[in-house]
């Protein structure tokens, strides 16, 4: 009597433990690289947002300053120093001063000063005589941080008192 032979089975396809470990290692490597890239993008995005906010704050302060220059009642009455600018208007004088790393605006002698721009490294007010008018220049440089990058945040604003010609 013959023993029955077991029917031959087709070879089954499967994964060995080494193959599974290799696949897991590749998936882990790709995932960790993707996460590192994601976190770097998040940091860069927040730095960009901070820079945009600083630029917007500087532009807002510049527009306030320009509006005050346009209200000056007598061009000859503007007094300037390295860190202070007094603008005579029809009402109370508007005083700009730079201290404690901020630009302060005071709308009147007795009014409280308000910080219109913080994080200031340096600021300079100067007159710039032109042919028929005296323009005013305000240059302001903001503080930089190590994460800000190599650019210097320097802003320059120019304004002319409304309808005031130099004699």
């Amino acid at each position: 009597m013959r023993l029955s032979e077991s029917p031959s089975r087709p070879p089954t396809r499967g994964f060995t433990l080494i193959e599974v470990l290799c696949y897991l290692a590749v998936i882990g490597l790709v995932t960790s690289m993707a996460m590192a890239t994601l976190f770097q993008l998040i940091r860069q995005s927040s730095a960009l947002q901070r820079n945009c906010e600083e630029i917007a704050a500087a532009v807002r302060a510049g527009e306030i300053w320009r509006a005050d220059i346009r209200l000056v009642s007598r061009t000859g009455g503007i007094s300037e120093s390295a860190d202070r600018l007094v603008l005579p208007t029809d009402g109370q004088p508007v005083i700009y001063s730079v201290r404690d790393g901020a630009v302060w605006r005071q709308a009147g002698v007795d009014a409280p000063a308000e910080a219109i721009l913080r994080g200031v490294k340096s600021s300079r007010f100067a007159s710039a005589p032109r042919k028929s008018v005296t323009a005013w220049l305000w240059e302001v440089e903001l503080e930089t941080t190590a994460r800000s990058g190599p650019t210097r945040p320097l802003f320059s604003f120019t304004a002319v008192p409304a309808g005031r010609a130099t004699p």
Side-chain angles (χ1 to χ4, degrees):
M1 175 169 193
R2 231 171 139 197
L3 293 173
S4 66
E5 292 182 18
S6 61
S8 63
R9 289 188 233 160
T12 58
R13 297 283 299 159
F15 296 106
T16 64
L17 182 59
I18 293 175
E19 288 175 325
V20 170
L21 291 176
C22 287
Y23 290 139
L24 287 176
V26 169
I27 290 172
L29 180 66
V30 169
T31 303
S32 65
M33 289 173 58
M35 293 300 285
T37 303
L38 175 68
F39 288 130
Q40 183 179 8
L41 288 174
I42 289 171
R43 279 193 304 271
Q44 289 175 352
S45 174
S46 62
L48 180 62
Q49 183 175 0
R50 273 192 312 275
N51 289 346
C52 289
E53 289 169 358
E54 289 173 355
I55 290 169
V59 169
R60 278 192 300 271
E63 288 303 314
I64 292 169
W65 178 80
R66 283 181 177 147
D68 287 339
I69 289 287
R70 289 183 192 116
L71 293 176
V72 169
S73 56
R74 4 178 251 292
T75 304
I78 296 177
S79 66
E80 62 178 293
S81 67
D83 59 350
R84 187 175 165 98
L85 180 71
V86 179
L87 306 173
T89 61
D90 290 333
Q92 292 285 329
V94 178
I95 303 165
Y96 283 86
S97 59
V98 181
R99 65 180 188 280
D100 304 326
V103 175
W104 297 83
R105 178 184 181 271
Q106 185 176 357
V109 178
D110 298 327
E114 63 174 319
I116 62 169
L117 184 60
R118 296 191 183 276
V120 174
K121 181 178 181 180
S122 67
S123 177
R124 181 178 77 93
F125 301 105
S127 63
R130 305 290 161 76
K131 287 184 180 180
S132 61
V133 297
T134 298
W136 287 89
L137 177 70
W138 177 31
E139 291 180 343
V140 61
E141 181 180 1
L142 300 180
E143 291 284 341
T144 59
T145 60
R147 294 180 283 177
S148 296
T151 57
R152 275 181 44 194
L154 179 64
F155 299 91
S156 181
F157 302 100
T158 305
V160 176
R164 308 290 188 245
T166 55

